[in-house]
Structure formats: C-alpha cells, structure tokens
Amino acid sequence: MKAVLFSKKPFNFTALGSQGILLVLIVGLLLTVLIALMQGSVQLNANEVWQSLLHTGDPTHQIIIWELRLPRIIAALIVGAALGLSGALLQGMLRNGLAEPYLLGVSAGAGLVAIILITLGIWQTWVPLASWLGAVVAACVVYSLGHTPTGVSVERLILGGVAVSFLLFAIQTVFLLFAEDGQVQAALIWLTGSLNGRGWGEIIMVMPYLSVALFAGCLLGRSLNILTLGDEIAVSLGISLGRSRLYITIVATLLTAGAVSVAGLIGFVGLLIPNGVRLLVGSDYRWVLPLSALGGAWMLTFADLLARIGPVELPVGAVTAILGAPLFITLLHRQGKHSAHH
Amino acid sequence: MSLEASQLKGGYRDRPIIKNLNLQIRSGEWLSLVGANGSGKSTLLKLLCRILPTSQGRVLLNGKAIHTQPTHEVARQLAMLPQQSPIPAGLTVQQFVSWGRTPHQPWWQWSLDAAGQKQVDLAIAQTQLQNYRDRPLERLSGGERQRAFLALALAQAPQVLLLDEPTTYLDLRYQLELLELLKQLKQHQGLTLVTVLHDINLAARYSDRIAMLCEGHLWAVGTPAEVLTPANLRQVFAIEATPIQTPIGLQICALGATPNSRASPDVLATNPHP
C-alpha cells in the first residue's frame, strides 16, 4: 500500500476491476455524505451527527441534520444517480460518448416551461411538476422524430434532439429578455441547477418513481451491451431494436425529468461520469450502469458540499461545470494518450 | 434445419432490390451467394436473417416464417456475421464471446450458467483464441478479430450461420484459415452455411452449391461446375472466363471484360434458369 501511495507512477485504477471500483465508490460516497452532514454554517463532529441522526442530543443539531442537511444530501444523491445513469443509458444506446441526459430535448422542454412560469411569476409551486411535463413532452417529440418505418434511427434521434432543443431554447431566451431582473436571476439559478432549500417534500414526490427507474435502468445493461455491437449483430443475437431502444429512452427520460424537476438543469454529471466509468471498467454496461449511478450520486453530493461551504452559496450546477469541465478535459487527454499507445 | 426464401421481395424502403426470389438452402450445406456489385447478394442475406423486413413473400426457418417469430427464438437457431461492426473499447475476447449466449439467457441472468460457459469455451477453442481470452478486442489483428466475431456467433450455438463477405479485410492466409475453419464446422457439427463471397474462386473451392444473382433475380443455382459456366459468367459478371479443373477443384480463369457490358433486362427475360 505504501509503495502504491508513494510511487511516482499514477495509480492505475483500471487494475482494481469492476468490484474494486464499486468498493471505492461506496466508501467514497459514504465518507462524502458524512462530511456533508458535518460541514456547514454550524460545524458538527461525527459524534454529534450520529446523535442527531438517532434523534438524541442537542435539539438544534437535530433540526439542522433532519430538516436541512439530510434532505438536501438525499436530494443530491438521487438527482446525481439519476443523471449519471441516464447519461450512461443514452451514451450506450447512441454509441456516442458525447451523449448526455439532456440530448433528447429534455433540458430545453423542462427549461422552457420553468422559465415561462418563473418569468411570468405564476404558479411558482408548480415549477417542478411543470418542468417534468415539459421534459417528457419534448422527449416524446424528439423520439417521434427519430422514428422511421424501419425502426428508431440513432442519427435521427440526435439530430431531432438538437433541432428541438435549439427551437425551445430560442423561445426561452425571448422570455428571459422580457423578464424583470429579479425573475431573470431566479430563472438563471434554475437553469444552472441548484439544491438550495430542497426538503422532504421534493424527495417524497420523486423518490418512489426514481427508485423504480434507477432499478429498471440498471437491468438494461445486457441489452445495451449488445446494442453497442451494431444493429446487425444485435438483431442476430435476438435483440428487438425498436423495443429495447424504446425502453432505454423511456427510462432515461423519466430519470432526467425527475432530476430536473428537483434540481433544475445540472450539467456535466451525466456527461462526465459515464465516460469516466467506462475508462475505468471498460464497456460492459452491466457494470457501467450501476457504477455511473453511484458515481453521479457521489459527484453531485461532493459538488453540493463545495457549493454551500463557501462564503457565498453557489448553484450546484455551476460547481459541477467548474469541477467537471477540467476533469473532462483531463480524461480526454488521458484517453488520447491511451489510444496513441496502440 | 432448412432455410427457405419463398417469393421473396424486399430491400430498402424506396428501392426493392430482391424481386420475387425462391431459394432453398438445405440442411448442412454450404451455399454461396455470388454476383456482380449491386446484384443484391448482401440484401438477400439480410432478408434471410430478418435484418431487413420483407415487402412480400416469406423466409422460412424449418417451415416457420422468421419475420413473425419472436426474434430471440430465431436467434437460438440462426446467426449472422455482418461485414463490419463497431467494437466497444476495453472489451476482452472472453467477455465479448460470452455475449453470444444472449438468446439463451433469461433477461434477469447476470452471468453465464455452466452450460453457457461451456459453449463459450468451446467457441473460443474452435476459433483458436485460447491465448487471447483476456486481450481487448481493439488490440487484435484483423484475422484474430474476425475469428473473435466468429466465436461470438458460435457461442450462440446456431444451426444456420450466415456470413457477409467474411474474408473482405483479411489477407490471403487468413482468408484460407477462416474458410477452412468454417468447412470443419460444417463437416463436424453439420452447421449450415450461407456466405456472400466476392472471390468467385474461393466460392468455387468451398461451396457445395452456388446461387448466382443478377439484378435482384436468382440467375442460376447449383454446384460450382453447373453455375460457373462461361455463358453465366459472361452474362452476370460481363467477363470472358474459362473454368479449369485444378487439384483444389474447379477454378475460374478470368481472361478479360466482355466488350458489350452487363446483362440487360432483355437478357434477363431469356434467363435459362427461371
């Protein structure tokens, strides 16, 4: 262990294997959750956290843990897991590492509806549900654009997603331009994604169905594996292209829409995490899917911790982008060097 | 295990390529589809394994239409290797070949059962990839990679195997190695083979029967000696050629292109083998 820690070569995580990575992720996630429970404007030690979790000790601490930090952390966990898994599903199905949860018009649809409600100042409490609906409707439109008589075409899905997104973003921009300053700021925070003030209400609303979607998504690994071998081999191996693509799209859309309705548009988690996981464990989606969910949960919990411990609280989406972009560039660089060796 | 095309018509949406074709593939035989570029060989192969939908007619596997059967049931009996396929990064030969068991596994099964593992081991042994089990696919040579794809199809334990130009990206030695391997699989396991082959001499050497296609029609079908006649070669390939008996069987010696080009529709009307 010492030799590994102090050797000059970077530690080779791929040597850990899928089970090893799983273990690292679980331990890292638990540690991050513990730190997130301890840190904040009121610092608690591990013992105080434990006591508060057991509903004993200082009542103020109990309120801080149970009403503020714990729901927010759980929101970060499920939103991160949903985004990570959704990104992995779409990257596998579209055979494209640049695919991300918002590719199928989900962000544009959700964004447009949320911005309309926020800038017009109406039905604010309905923003989560309305943005969920906007996401699902936009994804349905993109999916129908990708559909041809011979099945769903990957290229058409991507192009349809781009076209629909551009249109909806343009309308969204118009609404932002005509809004008042305070509303623009609220809208921008929603568009960047934030977990500030998320409580048990939001969690109870999305938890049941997101748990089902997370579980169902992880079961799609074997079909995804076969789909990465190309349409012809997939058919030869007895995979129904239309049906499996429909299931994957439905699960990915429900995951993303749920995440968006809780936290707004948090970027980079769904793009970065599946790419990182594939670099570590290879292309076996039976592992990539659950590990992407875990990795997404970890990244968002960590980013949210960073977002709220500074002097000014940042929207967590800004932190994931600031953290994520350089990480992504590093991964690309490493991948480039890796492929240059062969 | 028989495969049969009956009054088959199909192709791409706006362009039917195969027009009313009847063909019977017998159990345990090696049938090669030959024809000029654009004659519909690959399209026919894709129709025969339900990658393309038919617009008319049926493909029957053991008397049952394959386009209307549950796809995983067809996959237990029939496998197809395309000309080229994407390779996922970081996938080892062992993992890759084990995916060939997909149609035999229930959806909830995470990893292979003992029988499945045995079939995977057999497929790896038959394609002589034992020493490459843990190697990522992208680090295999062209010939080794083609063997890995064949191992994937063999792990599927099909009775009929369709191959679209399996020798295209291989040099001469790997071409012969691959075709010899297929011949052994046919002889020892009774595998029925349907191949699209560009190289007419390889088709003549390895096939039991040859089906010659011309503009979406079946021009001639029979043993290599029956089909690869100077007249057929002239009308389908527009070449002047002489069949020669050699120690490895019938081979075609192409002399040159026929001056007045390919078969025209009027020639098709006088097709000697309807």
Side-chain angles (χ1 to χ4, degrees):
Chain A
M1 194 63 201
K2 223 175 174 181
V4 172
L5 283 175
F6 293 106
S7 68
K8 285 207 177 125
K9 270 199 208 157
F11 178 63
N12 181 11
F13 279 100
T14 45
L16 286 172
S18 314
Q19 285 103 328
I21 302 278
L22 178 68
L23 200 67
V24 169
L25 278 178
I26 291 175
V27 172
L29 186 64
L30 289 177
L31 277 178
T32 311
V33 167
L34 178 64
I35 296 169
L37 284 169
M38 289 159 63
Q39 296 296 319
S41 52
V42 177
Q43 301 271 345
L44 302 177
N45 62 35
N47 191 32
E48 286 165 333
V49 167
W50 182 243
Q51 284 189 343
S52 304
L53 283 175
L54 297 175
H55 292 291
T56 56
D58 192 332
T60 323
H61 291 175
Q62 284 184 41
I63 292 175
I64 290 175
I65 291 292
W66 276 99
E67 296 307 317
L68 299 174
R69 292 189 192 163
L70 196 58
R72 184 168 174 162
I73 291 169
I74 291 176
L77 289 174
I78 52 175
V79 168
L83 290 175
L85 180 58
S86 166
L89 285 168
L90 289 175
Q91 287 181 8
M93 181 179 85
L94 303 173
R95 293 181 212 124
N96 191 331
L98 286 176
E100 48 128 18
Y102 304 140
L103 187 82
L104 300 179
V106 167
S107 58
L112 179 61
V113 177
I115 296 312
I116 290 176
L117 294 192
I118 293 172
T119 55
L120 295 181
I122 49 170
W123 302 322
Q124 299 289 310
T125 48
W126 291 99
V127 167
L129 187 65
S131 56
W132 185 92
L133 273 176
V136 172
V137 170
C140 289
V141 171
V142 171
Y143 189 81
S144 61
L145 283 175
H147 214 274
T148 63
T150 48
V152 177
S153 146
V154 167
E155 289 76 19
R156 286 179 65 101
L157 268 185
I158 296 176
L159 289 176
V162 170
V164 169
S165 297
F166 265 106
L167 176 66
L168 299 183
F169 278 135
I171 304 175
Q172 189 179 308
T173 311
V174 173
F175 273 93
L176 277 177
L177 282 174
F178 287 102
E180 290 163 24
D181 284 356
Q183 287 164 342
V184 171
Q185 196 179 11
L188 276 182
I189 289 179
W190 191 91
L191 284 177
T192 323
S194 169
L195 288 165
N196 190 12
R198 300 306 187 270
W200 293 111
E202 283 92 346
I203 293 173
I204 288 166
M205 192 174 72
V206 296
M207 189 72 166
Y209 105 84
L210 271 189
S211 318
V212 173
L214 281 168
F215 181 70
C218 289
L219 294 178
L220 292 168
R222 267 185 38 207
S223 316
L224 263 183
N225 277 346
I226 305 303
L227 286 177
T228 57
L229 299 177
D231 289 2
E232 294 177 344
I233 291 213
V235 171
S236 169
L237 286 171
I239 296 282
S240 161
L241 294 179
R243 204 183 314 146
S244 52
R245 287 201 177 124
L246 181 67
Y247 290 161
I248 293 166
T249 312
I250 289 176
V251 173
T253 304
L254 288 180
L255 286 169
T256 317
V260 167
S261 72
V262 173
L265 301 180
I266 294 175
F268 262 107
V269 177
L271 174 66
L272 179 87
I273 293 294
N275 275 301
V277 168
R278 269 203 313 274
L279 276 182
L280 293 175
V281 303
S283 306
D284 188 342
Y285 276 86
R286 288 174 312 166
W287 283 103
V288 171
L289 294 178
L291 292 180
S292 294
L294 267 180
W298 187 8
M299 180 176 176
L300 200 60
T301 316
F302 185 66
D304 190 50
L305 173 62
L306 293 185
R308 65 186 174 84
I309 58 172
V312 181
E313 170 155 351
L314 294 168
V316 68
V319 179
T320 56
I322 293 169
L323 266 183
L327 257 170
F328 192 60
I329 291 166
T330 318
L331 273 179
L332 275 181
H333 181 65
R334 267 191 57 184
Q335 201 175 22
K337 275 205 297 198
H338 186 71
S339 50
H341 283 308
H342 305 309
Chain B
M1 180 61 49
S2 70
L3 186 65
E4 185 185 346
S6 149
Q7 298 183 329
L8 189 63
K9 193 173 162 187
Y12 299 90
R13 214 177 353 149
D14 41 355
R15 208 161 48 100
I17 291 176
I18 297 298
K19 298 145 194 162
N20 199 18
L21 186 143
N22 292 301
L23 179 65
Q24 249 192 332
I25 296 148
R26 299 168 191 154
S27 181
E29 79 166 338
W30 185 334
L31 180 105
S32 287
L33 305 175
V34 303
N37 286 332
S39 60
K41 310 181 292 282
S42 290
T43 307
L44 175 57
L45 199 78
K46 284 176 189 169
L47 285 165
L48 287 176
C49 62
R50 79 206 178 293
I51 283 174
L52 287 177
T54 57
S55 47
Q56 243 177 1
R58 293 188 300 173
V59 176
L60 302 168
L61 180 65
N62 276 344
K64 281 207 239 164
I66 67 165
H67 286 84
T68 50
Q69 265 184 76
T71 180
H72 66 274
E73 272 173 32
V74 177
R76 287 182 200 151
Q77 306 160 58
L78 178 141
M80 189 265 190
L81 279 189
Q83 239 180 85
Q84 225 183 355
S85 282
I87 309 173
L91 193 68
T92 67
V93 170
Q94 167 84 34
Q95 283 174 317
F96 176 67
V97 176
S98 71
W99 292 0
R101 297 301 298 164
T102 303
H104 301 274
Q105 271 177 294
W107 63 270
W108 39 265
Q109 205 177 69
W110 173 272
S111 50
L112 294 180
D113 54 14
Q117 189 56 51
K118 213 172 139 192
Q119 184 68 35
V120 168
D121 290 340
L122 179 68
I124 288 178
Q126 282 172 332
T127 47
Q128 290 159 14
L129 287 167
Q130 296 96 327
N131 298 331
Y132 300 88
R133 277 175 183 274
D134 299 318
R135 193 170 293 186
L137 278 183
E138 67 264 25
R139 279 203 252 156
L140 298 181
S141 72
E144 291 156 0
R145 199 177 289 176
Q146 191 65 304
R147 294 212 304 269
F149 274 94
L150 182 59
L152 176 82
L154 293 177
Q156 209 176 323
Q159 285 134 320
V160 183
L161 177 58
L162 295 86
L163 302 103
D164 193 358
E165 312 230 12
T167 56
T168 305
Y169 298 100
L170 304 181
D171 64 35
L172 207 50
R173 181 195 150 172
Y174 286 128
Q175 290 184 13
L176 292 177
E177 259 182 27
L178 184 80
L179 294 175
E180 284 296 331
L181 177 57
L182 289 174
K183 188 170 150 186
Q184 281 171 19
L185 291 169
K186 182 188 82 113
Q187 282 170 348
H188 296 136
Q189 294 183 12
L191 193 63
T192 306
L193 293 166
V194 183
T195 51
V196 168
L197 285 174
H198 248 307
D199 187 326
I200 213 160
N201 281 323
L202 289 178
R205 178 167 171 183
Y206 287 99
S207 322
D208 300 311
R209 287 197 306 152
I210 288 181
M212 194 180 253
L213 295 176
C214 183
E215 303 197 355
H217 294 272
L218 186 63
W219 178 267
V221 61
T223 62
E226 285 164 3
V227 173
L228 301 177
T229 60
N232 282 341
L233 291 167
R234 184 179 307 121
Q235 278 169 331
V236 169
F237 286 95
I239 55 167
E240 296 301 318
T242 315
I244 303 170
Q245 270 305 331
T246 71
I248 53 164
L250 186 83
Q251 294 285 280
I252 305 302
C253 178
L255 305 169
T258 305
N260 48 353
S261 107
R262 296 241 166 99
S264 64
D266 342 328
V267 179
L268 286 174
T270 63
N271 182 354
H273 310 273

